[in-house]
Amino acid sequence: MKQDTRQLLRQLPKVDVLLQRPALAEWEQNLSRSLIKQAVQDVLAGLRRDILAERRRDVPAEDELDGMVLAYFRRQKSLRLKTVVNATGTILHTNLGRSVLSEEIGRHVGEIAASYSNLEYDLDEGRRGSRYAHLQSLLKELTGAEDVLVVNNNAAAVLLALTSMTQGKEVVISRGELVEIGGLFRIPDVIEASGGTIREVGTTNKTHLSDYSRAVGEGTGAIMKVHTSNYRIIGFSESVPAQELAELAHAKGLPLINDLGSGLFVDMRRFGLPYEPTVKEVLKQGCDVVMFSGDKLLGGPQAGIIVGKAEYIEPMKQHQLLRALRVDKMTLAALEATLQLYRDEDLAIRSIPALQMLARTQKECLRRADVLAQMLRTADAALQVQTVPVRDMVGGGSYPEYTLPGYAAAVASEGLTAAELERRLRHAEVPVVARVQQDWLCLSVRTLRDDEFPLICTEIAKAVAEG
Ligand SMILES: *Cc1c(COP(=O)(O)O)cnc(C)c1O
């Protein structure tokens, strides 16, 4: 060890000496002595390592040491899971948490979480109740279903339904619907995991009713239909409508199971998207059990919703697997509040963030992009800012081949590549996630709240000044 290194190490204050610092004494009101001591030890150990590696050639002054311990506390306190600003224009961004709850519903969830609740308590009778009871009548009203059940997510809903209905039996399904949804959720694997056997029929692009009817036999437990969600067969293709499949299934004394993926309560043609039946319509077509996600186009919390005939859903309620897949109170709180909005479709579109974002016209996006652009120019006069048309996405595996015409505020800064600006914004105190297009950083306004505009301006000004 070099002479001056040894010298520096000797000059480092002792733990006990640092603990006497008035700045640290102040914190003792909020933090235990042992936590403070741990912080001081860790900071000193870090300094020792830096000095030994010759990354540091001086001993910090006492104020600087106070600051280092304070910074250490801040880092410790900061949580890994945090809010980010979604400027990508993808509404149901799977990596950014899929759908967003409204502020009001978020508050309600917080209240339920931070308080005791009647989760499993029947307030009328004064005895044990069921957590599943809270959503029964609302879901029945909205879907017209005879019975309903809610589990942790749609993957769990599919697993529970199949395990309960087709264990040890054959599930007849089209080859065009044996899809992988993402995150290793593959329909054939789920059928196998549930103890059923896949009986695939038809071809990748075309499946006819006769393919199904030929495959149905003694060992058949159900016919299954799966929404291909994030994948589409176009051109020379054909599939059998749910109504015809239901007639076939019922003629053979079998149920028709339909995994919808993104369940809809509103006709998406309202937003200029192609027609897809709502959950209510799908049930009317004769499907016996239908399942869908709470946090796709429904715009609620992560959940799997199962609706359909009581004769199939009642056994699921008794199934031991249900306990492993059950929803918690925060999910139930968010889902009930979200579903309640759907009793009035216009209210739902006004209040549910995913639907609000869908409803934004390109004209409205342009107006908001102009506002953001102007704010950015004011925040940093050196920035180059323009508004550009962009194609936004629904996301979450919905409408994969469809884009929504929107607008972005595009930012460039001299001497800084858009990729570098994008990287710095990702590391900001409140990370801003945005796309780079032709060396411009594009902030699509479709997925932004107005109250995020000032924050974005601050973070961009900071990011540009960083260099
Ligand atoms: C998204 C999706 C699932 C999985 O739903 P999660 O809520 O993500 O578990 C299952 N099936 C289909 C058809 C889907 O689109």
Side-chain angles (χ1 to χ4, degrees):
M1 201 191 297
K2 286 190 197 151
Q3 181 63 33
D4 52 346
T5 303
R6 205 169 293 146
Q7 181 90 21
L8 282 176
L9 287 177
R10 261 201 304 275
Q11 283 171 19
L12 278 176
K14 296 274 170 297
V15 173
D16 291 339
V17 175
L18 251 186
L19 282 174
Q20 304 301 323
R21 298 274 306 155
L24 300 194
E26 242 171 68
W27 297 335
E28 272 188 41
Q29 293 166 2
N30 302 318
L31 291 161
S32 77
R33 183 140 186 103
S34 66
L35 268 183
I36 296 179
K37 190 167 172 187
Q38 182 67 51
V40 169
Q41 282 170 338
D42 286 354
V43 167
L44 286 174
L47 275 171
R48 228 172 271 124
R49 274 195 304 275
D50 285 351
I51 290 170
L52 277 170
E54 294 182 27
R55 280 191 296 266
R56 196 166 177 132
R57 290 165 207 286
D58 64 333
V59 166
E62 291 187 332
D63 304 359
E64 194 185 341
L65 270 169
D66 289 347
M68 288 170 82
V69 179
L70 183 64
Y72 175 94
F73 281 135
R74 281 219 193 89
R75 269 200 308 279
Q76 289 260 301
K77 238 181 71 186
S78 83
L79 300 171
R80 300 250 331 160
L81 183 62
K82 51 184 152 193
T83 61
V84 307
V85 173
N86 175 11
T88 65
T90 298
I91 300 173
L92 304 171
H93 200 301
T94 305
N95 302 146
L96 304 183
R98 230 136 80 172
S99 72
V100 176
L101 302 176
S102 70
E103 225 179 285
E104 198 183 330
I105 293 181
R107 258 199 311 279
H108 172 60
V109 174
E111 279 165 17
I112 291 293
S115 176
Y116 291 108
S117 63
N118 61 337
L119 178 67
E120 291 190 345
Y121 187 66
D122 186 329
L123 287 169
D124 289 330
E125 304 290 335
R127 57 179 156 84
R128 192 180 201 287
S130 161
R131 70 176 59 215
Y132 301 106
H134 305 287
L135 290 169
Q136 285 279 332
S137 57
L138 196 49
L139 267 171
K140 283 182 193 171
E141 175 192 320
L142 292 170
T143 64
E146 205 176 280
D147 205 357
V148 304
L149 185 58
V150 177
V151 289
N152 184 48
N153 58 10
N154 192 33
V158 177
L159 181 67
L160 176 63
L162 288 173
T163 308
S164 168
M165 295 170 71
T166 61
Q167 195 162 42
K169 298 179 189 161
E170 279 183 358
V171 179
V172 177
I173 181 168
S174 160
R175 288 197 169 89
E177 295 175 5
L178 289 170
V179 292
E180 172 175 322
I181 303 299
L184 285 190
F185 180 81
R186 297 171 146 195
I187 293 295
D189 295 351
V190 180
I191 296 175
E192 272 172 12
S194 71
T197 317
I198 309 160
R199 179 78 163 86
E200 33 185 290
V201 298
T203 61
T204 306
N205 56 327
K206 281 206 174 200
T207 305
H208 308 287
L209 189 63
S210 55
D211 294 324
Y212 286 97
S213 62
R214 267 203 308 276
V216 170
E218 279 292 296
T220 309
I223 298 179
M224 186 174 191
K225 201 168 168 57
V226 177
H227 195 296
T228 53
S229 299
N230 51 9
Y231 152 90
R232 193 126 314 174
I233 298 165
I234 53 166
F236 190 61
S237 67
E238 198 176 314
S239 62
V240 183
Q243 203 151 0
E244 288 174 34
L245 267 188
E247 277 165 25
L248 171 69
H250 299 160
K252 307 268 185 183
L254 294 169
L256 175 63
I257 302 172
N258 194 345
D259 174 14
L260 283 181
S262 191
L264 304 176
F265 284 3
V266 174
D267 186 341
M268 288 293 132
R269 283 177 295 193
R270 279 191 73 146
F271 309 113
L273 289 167
Y275 172 73
E276 295 238 9
T278 60
V279 175
K280 197 174 204 163
E281 287 167 331
V282 171
L283 283 170
K284 273 222 186 90
Q285 289 166 357
C287 296
D288 299 280
V289 173
V290 172
M291 54 282 268
F292 51 97
S293 290
D295 60 343
K296 287 188 179 169
L297 279 168
L298 209 65
Q302 178 190 305
I305 302 168
I306 311 173
V307 298
K309 298 242 172 75
E311 65 178 292
Y312 301 112
I313 292 183
E314 192 51 44
M316 294 182 210
K317 292 183 183 168
Q318 310 303 328
H319 202 286
Q320 55 167 353
L321 193 54
L322 179 62
R323 177 59 191 247
L325 309 176
R326 80 175 184 183
V327 277
D328 77 321
K329 57 190 173 188
M330 289 183 271
T331 303
L332 286 171
L335 192 57
E336 186 191 15
T338 304
L339 290 173
Q340 195 149 72
L341 295 169
Y342 277 104
R343 300 177 88 177
D344 175 346
E345 187 169 309
D346 292 319
L347 180 66
I349 293 168
R350 275 203 311 279
S351 326
I352 296 174
L355 298 183
Q356 283 173 348
M357 293 175 196
L358 258 186
R360 282 180 178 147
T361 61
Q362 191 171 29
K363 202 169 137 201
E364 196 187 336
C365 289
L366 174 59
R367 188 188 57 74
R368 296 179 71 238
D370 276 335
V371 172
L372 177 58
Q374 201 46 51
M375 286 172 73
L376 284 162
R377 290 185 193 105
T378 311
D380 185 343
L383 278 180
Q384 289 168 265
V385 186
Q386 58 171 337
T387 51
V388 294
V390 287
R391 309 296 298 189
D392 297 321
M393 304 280 288
V394 178
S398 309
Y399 297 94
E401 79 286 41
Y402 213 81
T403 54
L404 307 160
Y407 263 93
V411 182
S413 174
E414 206 161 303
L416 195 61
T417 64
E420 174 58 17
L421 183 56
E422 183 272 341
R423 191 194 64 79
R424 288 185 191 175
L425 283 173
R426 251 190 295 122
H427 290 93
E429 201 166 309
V430 180
V432 178
V433 184
R435 290 179 297 188
V436 171
Q437 268 177 23
Q438 282 143 18
D439 223 29
W440 287 82
L441 185 85
C442 291
L443 304 154
S444 172
V445 291
R446 182 180 301 279
T447 46
L448 298 177
R449 293 192 313 262
D450 289 344
D451 65 275
E452 287 172 326
F453 287 8
L455 178 75
I456 291 171
C457 294
T458 312
E459 292 297 4
I460 287 187
K462 272 202 294 194
V464 168
E466 221 176 78

